[in-house]
């Protein structure tokens, strides 16, 4: 298995632009999680899906952030418009039932 | 309010010795605990876990101890190897069909050759 796949690995964009991060979970996993890692706040959960349905989005910082999971093999995290304070590493993780989560390699986002 | 705390941001240990990483939690409802290891430019990798019904779980060089009364868990690595140098995160979760994890801030372990 290829593991959790995220794209792009690096994204540099200007303030105000739309950013879309992509994630392909491990096949057969039924839960998907989006995290953000910053120096100040560490690893924080943004949103998670169970069987493609958003369950808890209380970690999404603002309305500028949105996430979708149109099917079991794909999810997106969109930031529109982006701001410099959104600069961070964004991780996607997937999970089968109630077992451990498997993380992707992350997307390093820089907003200038 | 940090529900999972790792109070030591860094730890240095000599190769061959024991590494002990500590973690404290405040929510007594947490029933499952995990340790993840993270290398630079990679995502966290699952290392070992323990259910709240146990007080010890061992996997090779890695052992996790859970003290529920003290709300404390620790990860022991014996013997430590230079390849163990990484950031270690502890995480805790509640029962449920999807285990939502609450992470500590991480401890940078450096194993000196």
């Amino acid at each position: 298995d290829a593991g959790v796949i995220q794209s792009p690995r690096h994204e540099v964009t200007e303030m105000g632009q739309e950013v879309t991060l992509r994630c392909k979970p491990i096949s057969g996993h039924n839960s998907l999680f989006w995290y953000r890692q910053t120096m100040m706040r560490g690893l924080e959960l943004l949103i998670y899906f169970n069987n493609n349905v958003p369950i808890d989005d209380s970690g999404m910082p603002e309305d500028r952030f949105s996430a979708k999971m149109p099917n079991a093999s794909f999810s997106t995290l969109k930031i529109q418009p982006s701001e410099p304070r959104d600069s961070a590493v964004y991780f996607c993780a997937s999970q089968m039932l109630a077992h451990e989560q498997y993380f992707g390699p992350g997307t390093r986002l820089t907003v200038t | 309010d940090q529900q999972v705390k790792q109070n030591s941001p860094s730890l240095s240990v000599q190769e061959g010795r024991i590494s002990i990483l500590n973690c404290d939690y405040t929510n007594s409802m947490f029933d499952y605990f995990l340790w993840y290891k993270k290398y630079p430019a990679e995502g966290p990798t699952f290392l070992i876990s323990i259910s709240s019904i146990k007080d010890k779980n061992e996997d090779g060089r890695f052992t996790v101890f859970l003290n529920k009364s003290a709300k404390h868990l620790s990860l022991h690595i014996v013997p430590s190897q230079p390849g163990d140098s990484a950031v270690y995160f502890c995480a805790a979760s509640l029962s449920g069909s999807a285990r939502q994890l609450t992470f500590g801030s991480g401890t940078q372990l450096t194993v000196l050759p």
Side-chain angles (χ1 to χ4, degrees):
Chain A
D1 197 321
V4 176
I5 298 172
Q6 289 188 249
S7 65
R9 291 295 309 274
H10 302 273
E11 176 80 35
V12 180
T13 190
E14 291 184 348
M15 182 174 66
Q17 296 297 306
E18 177 180 297
V19 174
T20 299
L21 311 181
R22 297 172 176 79
C23 175
K24 177 178 168 51
I26 294 172
S27 176
H29 284 194
N30 63 324
S31 297
L32 183 140
F33 303 78
W34 282 101
Y35 291 89
R36 178 172 68 175
Q37 185 182 28
T38 60
M39 288 294 292
M40 292 296 294
R41 300 176 68 89
L43 256 173
E44 51 180 343
L45 177 67
L46 300 177
I47 185 172
Y48 79 93
F49 297 83
N50 199 24
N51 295 320
N52 312 340
V53 176
I55 302 300
D56 185 353
D57 65 354
S58 59
M60 297 285 260
E62 299 170 33
D63 291 345
R64 298 183 296 107
F65 286 69
S66 63
K68 294 182 180 179
M69 191 164 186
N71 56 62
S73 58
F74 184 64
S75 176
T76 59
L77 177 68
K78 186 176 292 187
I79 309 173
Q80 165 64 13
S82 57
E83 296 182 4
R85 60 193 166 120
D86 301 330
S87 298
V89 181
Y90 291 81
F91 290 104
C92 172
S94 70
Q95 180 187 65
M96 181 170 64
L97 297 176
H99 298 100
E100 59 272 9
Q101 294 180 20
Y102 290 85
F103 283 75
T107 295
R108 180 173 294 278
L109 172 65
T110 303
V111 183
T112 59
Chain B
D1 176 36
Q2 263 190 306
Q3 296 191 67
V4 179
K5 298 179 185 179
Q6 294 177 257
N7 292 317
S8 298
S10 63
L11 174 69
S12 290
V13 171
Q14 209 68 37
E15 181 179 4
R17 298 290 188 100
I18 183 172
S19 295
I20 300 176
L21 297 103
N22 293 304
C23 179
D24 297 295
Y25 61 95
T26 57
N27 188 344
S28 57
M29 298 299 290
F30 286 140
D31 64 353
Y32 195 68
F33 304 88
L34 308 89
W35 285 93
Y36 281 81
K37 179 169 72 173
K38 185 183 181 305
Y39 292 119
E42 295 183 11
T45 302
F46 169 72
L47 196 55
I48 192 169
S49 62
I50 188 168
S51 165
S52 60
I53 62 173
K54 295 186 175 182
D55 54 19
K56 177 183 174 181
N57 188 26
E58 192 173 350
D59 183 3
R61 296 185 298 114
F62 302 92
T63 303
V64 55
F65 294 92
L66 176 62
N67 182 335
K68 285 192 296 293
S69 61
K71 295 192 183 69
H72 177 83
L73 66 154
S74 61
L75 174 68
H76 293 211
I77 307 173
V78 183
S80 302
Q81 300 173 354
D84 296 329
S85 297
V87 177
Y88 288 78
F89 292 96
C90 71
S93 74
L94 302 167
S95 297
S97 59
R99 285 196 175 275
Q100 187 176 342
L101 299 180
T102 301
F103 282 89
S105 54
T107 297
Q108 171 71 56
L109 173 66
T110 302
V111 179
L112 305 168

